[in-house]
Amino acid sequence: MIVRTAILELLKHNSGQYISGEDISHTLQVSRTAVWKHIRALKLDGYEIEAHPRLGYALRQNTDRLLPAEIKEQLTSTVLGREIHYFSELDSTNNEAKKLAANGCPEGTIVVAEAQVTGRGRLARGWFSPHGKGIWLSVVLRPPFNPMDAAKCTLMAAVGVNRAINAVTGAGCGIKWPNDILWQGRKVVGILTEMSAEMDAINHIVIGMGINVNIEQQEFPSEIAATATSLAVASGCQVSRVKLLTTILSELETVYNSVKNAGFAPVLADWKTQSITLGQQVDVHGIDRSFGGVAIDIDVDGALLIETTQGIERVLAGDVSIRPASPQ
């Protein structure tokens, strides 16, 4: 692996120009056969390397693929992302992460895919997950929390992800209760938290994130084109997915460690400062009833408190939409 990494660095350093197998062999003091084997392995890993019989090898794309080697090169988190399961295409990163978690994978294991075939969000909704245009990611946690606190992990994840997005892009996104991240009223991130637990202990929590990074507005399917957007649209430029991913892992780890050390209160306070829901007129659609009112706060359990004409309603689950501002 050391030789393979060194070959990759040589190819990157030559910035798309050919470098001969003989030069690589001489520089790294390995055989031409070893060079060929490592080049082949790098191709299997997803790197686009062109081989020319007389000129040698060239890295044709200084990749922004979410390859484990690229992620680890920029990784600053201590636990999250130290074990990476990468897929070019997957049905759902959450499904894969749940399998790994059930089989005892270490905390902080991540599953990342270039595309999802059956990506999903909250309330069993689908999630548009095109190849190479977003971050389709799941993280395995094994928190020492009471199962009753598991729902607040969604709020915790939203805080960490939104911090990372605004640090990397400067887009000025905000959190819509409980876990969507929006820019100018359009969704850029959805978060889905799933848990395996017993009566008094959590076995594992899988936090899945769908992040629209470099999708052009015209690429969104017609049914979501009016309600979804991407960070590239919000920031006005292409965003490095590897940099954003590693920043998300760092920020999420910071928030997670804060919760383990100080409880959820500081995170809930941070969530409020990033919220675009509080103070807004909202409509709530639950399993058996719908109503409207003003979102005024969240409580210690992360439930949304809504002031209605009949009093304060407490919402733990359901579909909450923010009403458009009335024209002046």
Side-chain angles (χ1 to χ4, degrees), residues 54-326:
R54 292 195 303 274
L55 300 176
Y57 304 101
L59 184 63
R60 280 306 176 201
Q61 183 182 25
N62 195 352
T63 184
D64 190 42
R65 291 189 183 184
L66 301 174
L67 301 170
E70 300 296 314
I71 294 170
K72 289 182 177 180
E73 188 174 291
Q74 298 187 40
L75 197 64
T76 59
S77 49
T78 303
V79 176
L80 272 58
R82 293 299 167 181
E83 182 171 310
I84 302 169
H85 293 259
Y86 167 84
F87 298 86
S88 178
E89 185 176 277
L90 199 59
D91 61 344
S92 158
T93 60
N94 259 32
N95 287 347
E96 183 67 21
K98 287 188 292 184
K99 293 175 188 175
L100 293 168
N103 288 328
C105 73
E107 180 171 61
T109 295
I110 70 170
V111 176
V112 62
E114 297 291 352
Q116 289 184 119
V117 178
T118 56
R120 67 190 192 283
R122 291 179 65 243
L123 308 178
R125 292 173 176 146
W127 190 268
F128 178 55
S129 311
H131 194 280
K133 296 295 187 80
I135 295 175
W136 325 121
L137 167 71
S138 294
V139 179
V140 177
L141 299 180
R142 300 188 183 278
F145 307 153
N146 186 295
M148 295 294 291
D149 287 329
K152 288 182 279 191
C153 288
T154 298
L155 305 180
M156 175 188 78
V159 167
V161 173
N162 197 50
R163 279 184 191 172
I165 284 173
N166 289 329
V168 172
T169 69
C173 297
I175 304 170
K176 173 180 162 292
W177 187 90
N179 58 352
D180 290 336
I181 296 175
L182 276 61
W183 179 75
Q184 295 189 356
R186 294 187 176 192
K187 186 184 296 189
V188 293
V189 180
I191 299 172
L192 175 65
T193 301
E194 298 183 278
M195 174 181 69
S196 168
E198 299 171 17
M199 287 294 292
D200 58 351
I202 294 173
N203 297 322
H204 63 259
I205 286 176
V206 172
I207 300 176
M209 295 160 249
I211 305 167
N212 301 333
V213 183
N214 291 321
I215 306 173
E216 297 299 327
Q217 195 62 48
Q218 65 270 20
E219 293 180 295
F220 285 99
S222 58
E223 60 268 23
I224 61 171
T227 57
T229 192
S230 72
L231 294 175
V233 174
S235 64
C237 61
Q238 293 285 292
V239 177
S240 166
R241 293 188 301 144
V242 173
K243 180 176 177 56
L244 179 57
L245 172 57
T246 55
T247 306
I248 286 170
L249 295 176
S250 177
E251 291 288 356
L252 181 56
E253 184 169 281
T254 297
V255 177
Y256 180 47
N257 287 337
S258 172
V259 170
K260 288 193 289 184
N261 293 328
F264 278 97
V267 170
L268 296 181
D270 201 352
W271 186 95
K272 293 179 188 182
T273 68
Q274 299 181 43
S275 170
I276 59 171
T277 303
L278 300 184
Q280 301 294 315
Q281 289 277 348
V282 299
D283 293 310
V284 180
H285 302 284
I287 296 174
D288 54 1
R289 62 188 290 253
S290 298
F291 60 91
V294 178
I296 58 173
D297 204 355
I298 56 171
D299 65 15
V300 294
D301 296 319
L304 186 64
L305 303 181
I306 298 176
E307 186 175 53
T308 72
T309 54
Q310 283 76 42
I312 303 298
E313 294 278 356
R314 183 173 181 268
V315 179
L316 267 171
D319 191 16
V320 175
S321 58
I322 299 173
R323 292 182 195 167
S326 300

Side-chain angles (χ1 to χ4, degrees), residues 11-19 57-62:
L11 292 171
K12 286 182 177 181
H13 181 73
N14 280 268
S15 187
Q17 301 300 311
Y18 283 100
I19 179 171
Y57 304 101
L59 184 63
R60 280 306 176 201
Q61 183 182 25
N62 195 352

